[in-house]
Amino acid sequence: MESIGDKQVVRPLLLTWKGLATGLLCAAAMGGALLYTAGRADATPVDVPGIGQFEIADALAAQLGIPAAAPELAPESAPQLAPAEAPAAEQSVLETFEFRPVTIPGVRTAEVPAVIVIPQAAAPAAVPELLQAPEISAPVPAPAADSRQITLAGLGDFSVPNFLPPLAGIPGLTDAAVAQSAPMPAAMPKKSVGQRAVDAARTRLGAGYSSGAVGPDAFDCSGLVQWSYRQAGVELPRTSYSQLSAGTPVSVDELEPGDLVSFYGGGHSALYVGDGQVIHASTYGSGVKISPMDNMPVTGARRF
């Protein structure tokens, strides 16, 4: 038979087991709710004394007044720092002391230094190859023209093949090849002072004779000699006797054009023109003319 004391001991035990069962059921319900909402909303970890830690939705935790615990960061969720970019490879300028030719069209060929920029980290073995200047072929000379110009009077210029021989002797035709192949004309020998005096005297052939006249329209014998040499740039004495006393004596056998020939003891002057002839202002009615030297007695000769 159960006593009153036994009833008083059993009642608290029943209450304790009922409270534990109720807590377990609540925990199970909360666990089910947590499992239902775990994949659908953000969760907050909650510690249940005597049971353990569970996660409930953040919205439910806010309604129950449960503060949210700081979530642990998973290793893979930790912010990843971007790797620092590697510094750009430094560069250095390697400069040779050799020069290579560079041709600038229309100007000329110039020498420029060979400068190569290579990375500083390049292997030393690669440097000699990089410093080799590129081969530049020598300029090819322009081919010779295969044609030349000819000019036809009244028609104009035309091109003809260069293999044609120079076209010479055709009236009205000028060929550049003829001008190039023609020899340079020999320089004319410089005239002597005497020859220039004779040439001047020839321009007065036919001029009249007059005693004491010195030209240019009329002359006496010494006047013609003085005027002719003056045209050649040499000044002679005025009279025939004084002319015979000037200059350099020369024999008759060595006479040259322009030499003074004196006749009649020095009273008459003439200029030697060659081939045994003289030009002189002879006398009245005859004037300036050319005569054989043998027609008069020769006294002497002078060269100026």
Side-chain angles (χ1 to χ4, degrees):
M1 183 175 181
E2 188 176 20
S3 63
I4 298 173
D6 293 335
K7 292 182 179 179
Q8 292 178 349
V9 174
V10 172
R11 187 180 297 274
L13 291 174
L14 293 174
L15 294 174
T16 302
W17 281 106
K18 289 180 180 180
L20 179 60
T22 302
L24 290 175
L25 291 175
C26 290
M30 294 176 65
L34 292 175
L35 292 175
Y36 179 77
T37 60
R40 304 180 57 173
D42 294 333
T44 298
V46 177
D47 291 323
V48 179
I51 298 177
Q53 188 181 73
F54 297 91
E55 291 185 352
I56 64 174
D58 286 346
L60 179 59
Q63 294 177 4
L64 298 176
I66 301 174
E72 296 181 0
L73 294 177
E76 60 274 7
S77 62
Q80 300 293 329
L81 296 178
E85 295 184 358
E90 296 183 0
Q91 292 186 342
S92 61
V93 177
L94 301 182
E95 182 174 359
T96 67
F97 294 93
E98 298 180 355
F99 291 80
R100 65 175 184 266
V102 173
T103 301
I104 304 174
V107 182
R108 63 187 182 89
T109 299
E111 297 285 339
V112 299
V115 178
I116 306 277
V117 178
I118 65 172
Q120 194 175 30
V127 173
E129 296 181 0
L130 293 176
L131 293 181
Q132 292 179 357
E135 295 184 0
I136 299 178
S137 58
V140 180
D146 55 359
S147 63
R148 66 178 187 270
Q149 291 290 113
I150 64 170
T151 302
L152 289 174
L155 296 178
D157 297 334
F158 300 90
S159 295
V160 298
N162 267 338
F163 62 79
L164 290 179
L167 305 177
I170 302 176
L173 187 145
T174 302
D175 190 347
V178 176
Q180 294 176 359
S181 61
M184 294 295 293
M188 296 296 294
K190 186 177 180 180
K191 291 183 179 181
S192 64
V193 173
Q195 184 63 60
R196 294 202 303 271
V198 170
D199 292 343
R202 286 181 181 274
T203 65
R204 297 293 90 194
L205 285 172
Y209 176 87
S210 177
S211 179
V214 294
D217 297 326
F219 303 90
D220 63 8
C221 64
S222 58
L224 176 65
V225 173
Q226 183 188 45
W227 181 89
S228 299
Y229 263 94
R230 184 174 291 163
Q231 309 311 306
V234 177
E235 194 66 30
L236 297 187
R238 168 68 185 87
T239 65
S240 60
Y241 290 101
S242 59
Q243 290 172 356
L244 182 60
S245 300
T248 302
V250 61
S251 67
V252 174
D253 296 336
E254 297 176 347
L255 289 174
E256 293 180 1
D259 289 345
L260 169 72
V261 181
S262 181
F263 300 95
Y264 301 110
H268 187 70
S269 294
L271 292 176
Y272 183 72
V273 297
D275 296 333
Q277 294 183 321
V278 294
I279 184 170
H280 61 131
S282 62
T283 186
Y284 291 101
S286 297
V288 178
K289 66 177 184 178
I290 295 177
S291 303
M293 188 175 62
D294 294 342
N295 288 351
M296 299 171 286
V298 177
T299 302
R302 292 291 189 273
R303 184 170 293 163
F304 304 100

